[in-house]
Amino acid sequence: MNLRLLPLLLAAAAPACTGPRPEAPAATAVVAPPAWRTALGPGEPVRADWWAAFGDPVLTGLVERALTNNPDLGAAAARVEEARAQERLSRAQLLPQVNVAAPGSEARALNPFGIATTNTGAQPAISASYDLDLFGRLRQANAATRAQLLASEGARDTVRLGIASSVASGYITLRALDARLAVARDTLASRGEALRIARRRAETGYTSNLELHQAEGEYRSTEQLVPQAELAISRQENALRLLLGETPGAIVRGTALTALSAPSIPDGLPADLLRRRPDLFQAEQSLVAADRSLDSLRAAMLPNLSLTGSVGLVLSTALSNPVGVFSLGGSVLSPIFDGGRLRAQADAGAARRDQAAFAYRKAALAAFREVDDSLAGVQRSGEQAVAIAGQRDALAAALRNASNRYRAGYSSYLDQLDTQRGLLTAELALVQARADRLTAYVALYQAFGGGWSQQDVERVSR
């Protein structure tokens, strides 16, 4: 190929790639820290100690078991390995390609005297080819696969963070169900005592059978709460075992719900903690990959220059000495008319890049919302728990007064019955409020991409 034709081919292909480079939509701008994610480096792992802030070694052990055995995390790690192999394959396209060939041949013929002759020969050769990649088509494609690798690592960390959060939330829910079961059993015991008193009073003729039947109905109503809570506990244990990657079975208990620590949240946590969110990193790298793929598609419209060469030997019984041969050449491939295929591919790449940009903006806005929702959840659920605790204490005092008045004959059984029902409702609501508050802490850790360190707290304090 005459390399002097290269300028002409470049000029012929120039109209196919004229026009400004399509930019990302202006709507993708997000109010975020200026050094979004980059200061921490790509693929930073999720913090591995935030669940220890609840002060329960059993919870810590469950999370670690889940991060070791969960099949979803194993599948995510396998996808990372696949992306890593794709990146190596793309990087190999930038290197020269060398092939070795050693064909052999054998020919038989008859000479004029009718004697058969055999002629053997071989032409071993080494050939090499190299794409000069003048306009960065291969380099941009490799950059796209590298960004896809980082995005897959972000997806893996997202799964990891989700598993840890699910285990922590599931364990808190399990301890809340244990507390509900304890409330149901304590209430059943008190209702059993009330039923015993009502039966004795009815048998002595002090009261009518109406109070006896009311007490028995209230006892049966509370009795059904026990198997209901036990069923919920069994299902929650199986759900946790699934997260652990294990067969259904019991879960070892640790700290009670009321004894779990509420992590301290410093005022004014820096917004750049959101850079630790792996889903944002994944969306960012997906945008980078789409942008680099667009560059590669646009570079495909330009001429492509390749160099080829071969070196070999000719060996034959007809030759007294081997004969060395070599060749060196170049080829230029330039798209002149392809029916608009390359232009359509570039337009599709630009559309995919715009989709990734909007997806990144959506992920960033969702991150801000989740943090704000989690902070509000921690604060409001705590206020709700305090209010319900006050209600529970007041109803407990009212039940004592109603029980004393009923035994002394100053009030009817209905006063005691109404107070018992109100106290049971308040105790169950208090258990749920405490669980919701701790679950809100888990959601806050997840929203911040794995929590905050003591250094972050000290920086805020200064």
Side-chain angles (χ1 to χ4, degrees), residues 245-308:
E246 300 173 357
T247 56
I251 296 294
V252 178
R253 307 299 201 272
T255 306
L257 180 68
T258 55
L260 288 175
S261 302
S264 60
I265 304 175
D267 294 332
L269 282 173
D272 59 358
L273 288 177
L274 291 179
R275 292 179 305 170
R276 300 189 178 120
R277 286 181 59 114
D279 59 337
L280 284 184
F281 179 62
Q282 177 186 1
E284 177 186 359
Q285 294 303 316
S286 296
L287 175 58
V288 173
D291 193 61
R292 295 296 180 265
S293 296
L294 175 60
D295 291 339
S296 178
L297 290 172
R298 291 180 63 84
M301 299 180 182
L302 299 173
N304 184 30
L305 176 61
S306 299
L307 296 179
T308 59

Side-chain angles (χ1 to χ4, degrees), residues 238-376:
N238 291 339
L240 276 174
R241 297 277 290 194
L242 178 61
L243 288 173
L244 300 178
E246 300 173 357
T247 56
I251 296 294
V252 178
R253 307 299 201 272
T255 306
L257 180 68
T258 55
L260 288 175
S261 302
S264 60
I265 304 175
D267 294 332
L269 282 173
D272 59 358
L273 288 177
L274 291 179
R275 292 179 305 170
R276 300 189 178 120
R277 286 181 59 114
D279 59 337
L280 284 184
F281 179 62
Q282 177 186 1
E284 177 186 359
Q285 294 303 316
S286 296
L287 175 58
V288 173
D291 193 61
R292 295 296 180 265
S293 296
L294 175 60
D295 291 339
S296 178
L297 290 172
R298 291 180 63 84
M301 299 180 182
L302 299 173
N304 184 30
L305 176 61
S306 299
L307 296 179
T308 59
S310 62
V311 177
L313 295 174
V314 177
L315 304 175
S316 176
T317 56
L319 300 175
S320 59
N321 294 313
V323 177
V325 294
F326 71 91
S327 65
L328 178 65
S331 63
V332 177
L333 178 63
S334 175
I336 297 178
F337 179 76
D338 60 359
R341 178 176 57 87
L342 295 178
R343 169 60 66 182
Q345 290 178 349
D347 292 342
R352 286 192 295 269
R353 194 274 308 270
D354 293 348
Q355 294 174 35
F358 282 114
Y360 174 68
R361 180 176 186 268
K362 180 180 178 181
L365 294 176
F368 288 120
R369 177 200 169 183
E370 290 175 4
V371 170
D372 194 70
D373 289 347
S374 300
L375 287 172

Side-chain angles (χ1 to χ4, degrees), residues 134-216:
L134 295 177
F135 302 99
R137 174 179 57 86
L138 297 179
R139 291 191 299 272
Q140 294 299 334
N142 178 249
T145 56
R146 187 162 58 248
Q148 291 171 356
L149 170 60
L150 296 178
S152 66
E153 292 178 348
R156 177 203 58 199
D157 290 344
T158 300
V159 175
R160 175 184 173 88
L161 180 59
I163 291 173
S165 302
S166 298
V167 172
S169 300
Y171 181 77
I172 292 172
T173 301
L174 179 62
R175 300 305 284 145
L177 291 173
D178 291 337
R180 290 177 65 91
L181 179 59
V183 168
R185 286 174 174 171
D186 293 342
T187 304
L188 184 62
S190 64
R191 298 285 170 83
E193 178 64 19
L195 176 60
R196 186 187 64 81
I197 295 174
R199 181 177 288 111
R200 186 181 62 184
R201 289 165 65 94
E203 290 174 352
T204 59
Y206 190 76
T207 60
S208 65
N209 289 331
L210 175 60
E211 292 184 0
L212 174 60
H213 295 320
Q214 288 176 334
E216 185 177 2

